[in-house]
Amino acid sequence: MPQHGRIGDDSLVPDDIPQSLAEPDDTAMLRAALAAAEVRIAALEQIIKGFQRARFGQSSERTEAGQLALELGRAPVLPEPPNDTPAKPRDHHDPGQRRRNRGALPSHLERIEEVLDLSDQGCPCCGIAMRRIGEDRSERLDIVPAQLRVRVTIRPRYACRRCEEGVHQVPAPARAIPGGLPTEALLAQVLVAKYGDGLPLYRQAAILARQGINLDRSTLCDWVAKSCWWLRPLHGLILAHITGNARVFADDTPLPTLERGLRRTMDGRLWAYAVDDRACGGTGPPAVAYLYAPDRKGIRPAAHLASFRGVLQVDGYAGFKALERSRNDGSVVLAFCWAHLRRRFFEIHAGTASPIAAEALLRIGEIYAIEREVRGQSPQQRVAIRQASTAPLVAAMQTWLRAQLNRVSSDSALAKAIRYGLRHWTGLERFLT
């Protein structure tokens, strides 16, 4: 029987047929299909590894610069030599060593003193009264467990025996929840436990049940809803404080929401807007405001940031870009986040150990190292250092990314990450100025 050639060889036709009769178009088509299939397989493998890492891997995206350098065949990154300025001593503790808090209890805590004195202050030898020459004091941290109590409001009624004007009585005080059981203090406790301490309502219901207070979780949910209505003015003030700043961070996250009247969930969105100038020596209070929306349409951030004027630090979401384009006066300028770009290369490196992704992480790590050094300095100092040290690194990385884009498959995850960076480069380098 005639022997047939293998797929991928120069000959894709039976060996007994002359090579001159083979059709070169079929060979090129098969090779192109094979290359496309390999790219598709690599993309699917990257997706699977991403799901596996999201479910079973660590959430931290920390990478060791020394390890990345070794993977690329470079010399390991060594710490910088010490300068003339003495560094602040760091507190190194052995993980297995017990850490004790000696004499550092806060002064604002109430002190309950207990004096342990001698019942007989006479000298055991001669019987004469001894003189007090000092004392030893020691402190221990104590707690008074949370205690439920009942506030009883008594309103005496009065009536005149001569007049017929009716009964006189002080009006009943207003309640946060009309006709409800909780006081404002209990409502505040439920809200802080839920949103500040991450304690779900069903666990709070179990805690109350141990005290003999049996409340359904739906009752606590109703309390939370009514309490949030009272807090709407405060939420408005916080949002106004945030949008009044010159720099705002914005992001959104999916929030599964039960549809009204239906027993199914929809993908709502929780939009977060934050300000924090502590890293650049600012004295304003940091703040964050959350707003819910049933979808991710661009009209949501446009409505939330209607009064905002300044720099908006965001990811590559198209709704933020539309917001910038809609402001003809240039009142909103986008600064794209380096963490989003870094995450794309980190996921590729974690899944495939790509040397190009490792190189990108090393280059971004150099930029991050400079930012750690300038944290807390004045804006003028930060800009000067960024222009002198960071700007050349950013320019070199842009040139390097353009060169790498021609070396990788256009449909690969690596090419998509590079194109994402180049497409948003103007906003990525905005922090330099």
Side-chain angles (χ1 to χ4, degrees):
M1 296 181 63
Q3 301 295 325
H4 297 277
R6 299 189 306 272
I7 294 177
D9 292 344
D10 293 337
S11 176
L12 297 176
V13 296
D15 295 336
D16 55 354
I17 297 179
Q19 183 68 27
S20 60
L21 299 180
E23 298 183 5
D25 292 343
D26 293 343
T27 303
M29 291 176 59
L30 289 174
R31 287 182 174 176
L34 179 61
E38 290 177 348
V39 172
R40 179 63 175 170
I41 291 173
L44 293 176
E45 289 178 347
Q46 178 68 28
I47 294 174
I48 293 174
K49 290 178 181 179
F51 282 133
Q52 290 175 338
R53 187 175 64 258
R55 182 172 182 181
F56 305 109
Q58 63 180 9
S59 59
S60 174
E61 298 179 4
R62 177 175 298 179
T63 56
E64 295 294 338
Q67 183 64 31
L68 293 177
L70 290 175
E71 292 179 8
L72 296 174
R74 301 179 182 176
V77 179
L78 299 178
E80 297 182 0
N83 52 23
D84 296 335
T85 304
K88 182 179 179 180
R90 299 182 62 182
D91 189 11
H92 296 279
H93 291 280
D94 184 3
Q97 181 182 4
R98 178 181 298 179
R99 300 182 62 181
R100 296 184 178 182
N101 190 345
R102 294 183 178 274
L105 294 179
S107 60
H108 70 273
L109 297 179
E110 180 185 6
R111 259 62 176 180
I112 307 297
E113 295 185 353
E114 180 184 11
V115 180
L116 303 179
D117 206 348
L118 296 174
S119 57
D120 183 7
Q121 300 181 0
C123 179
C125 300
C126 61
I128 300 176
M130 296 184 293
R131 298 177 57 188
R132 183 170 178 173
I133 59 174
E135 63 183 15
D136 294 328
R137 299 176 68 94
S138 62
E139 294 185 346
R140 295 183 300 167
L141 187 61
D142 192 20
I143 186 174
V144 178
Q147 180 181 6
L148 293 172
R149 60 185 183 182
V150 179
R151 293 188 62 176
V152 181
T153 301
I154 302 175
R155 298 184 297 130
R157 296 192 301 270
Y158 296 92
C160 181
R161 294 182 178 179
R162 295 184 179 179
C163 303
E164 298 179 356
E165 295 181 1
V167 179
H168 299 270
Q169 188 181 36
V170 175
R175 299 188 180 187
I177 300 180
L181 288 176
T183 63
E184 292 79 5
L186 181 57
L187 293 176
Q189 169 64 27
V190 172
L191 292 177
V192 172
K194 175 176 173 58
Y195 296 106
D197 302 330
L199 195 61
L201 294 180
Y202 77 91
R203 293 185 179 178
Q204 297 192 47
I207 294 173
L208 293 173
R210 289 202 298 266
Q211 299 288 337
I213 307 298
N214 297 313
L215 293 175
D216 191 77
R217 184 175 57 177
S218 62
T219 301
L220 294 177
C221 187
D222 185 61
W223 290 2
V224 171
K226 289 182 170 59
S227 300
C228 290
W229 183 87
W230 284 104
L231 293 175
R232 289 180 66 182
L234 178 60
H235 178 268
L237 289 175
I238 294 176
L239 183 60
H241 162 72
I242 293 174
T243 55
N245 277 261
R247 292 166 303 279
V248 171
F249 171 84
D251 200 4
D252 68 292
T253 185
L255 184 65
T257 308
L258 186 65
E259 292 192 54
R260 186 182 299 274
L262 300 176
R263 300 188 64 180
R264 64 182 182 184
T265 59
M266 63 178 183
D267 287 335
R269 287 283 165 170
L270 195 63
W271 299 85
Y273 303 97
V275 293
D276 188 356
D277 287 339
R278 290 176 294 181
C280 59
T283 58
V288 58
Y290 299 93
L291 293 96
Y292 172 79
D295 51 53
R296 204 193 183 198
K297 296 179 180 179
I299 58 175
R300 307 303 180 183
H304 301 159
L305 301 172
S307 61
F308 172 69
R309 301 290 186 275
V311 177
L312 192 63
Q313 182 180 352
V314 294
D315 57 10
Y317 168 57
F320 295 129
K321 300 176 185 177
L323 174 62
E324 183 184 36
R325 291 193 301 267
S326 64
R327 300 288 185 89
N328 298 327
D329 56 353
S331 57
V332 173
V333 178
L334 300 185
F336 292 113
C337 183
W338 279 85
H340 288 86
L341 176 62
R342 183 187 184 278
R343 182 175 301 124
R344 292 172 179 263
F345 289 112
F346 175 84
E347 292 176 351
I348 296 173
H349 180 265
T352 64
S354 166
I356 296 179
E359 176 74 21
L361 292 175
L362 272 177
R363 290 175 178 268
I364 297 176
E366 294 175 350
I367 298 175
Y368 274 40
I370 298 176
E371 287 301 304
R372 285 192 294 270
E373 294 296 328
V374 302
R375 181 176 296 274
Q377 299 185 20
S378 66
Q380 294 76 13
Q381 293 173 323
R382 289 157 65 91
V383 169
I385 296 176
R386 286 170 174 171
Q387 288 293 319
S389 303
T390 310
L393 297 178
V394 173
M397 183 174 181
Q398 183 184 24
T399 304
W400 177 80
L401 286 176
R402 287 174 175 170
Q404 303 310 309
L405 188 59
N406 298 325
R407 299 177 51 192
V408 300
S409 173
S410 60
D411 294 331
S412 64
L414 193 56
K416 294 178 181 178
I418 295 176
R419 284 197 296 266
Y420 173 87
L422 295 177
R423 189 167 61 250
H424 299 88
W425 201 257
T426 301
L428 286 171
E429 64 182 4
R430 183 151 284 136
F431 78 102
L432 297 175
T433 55

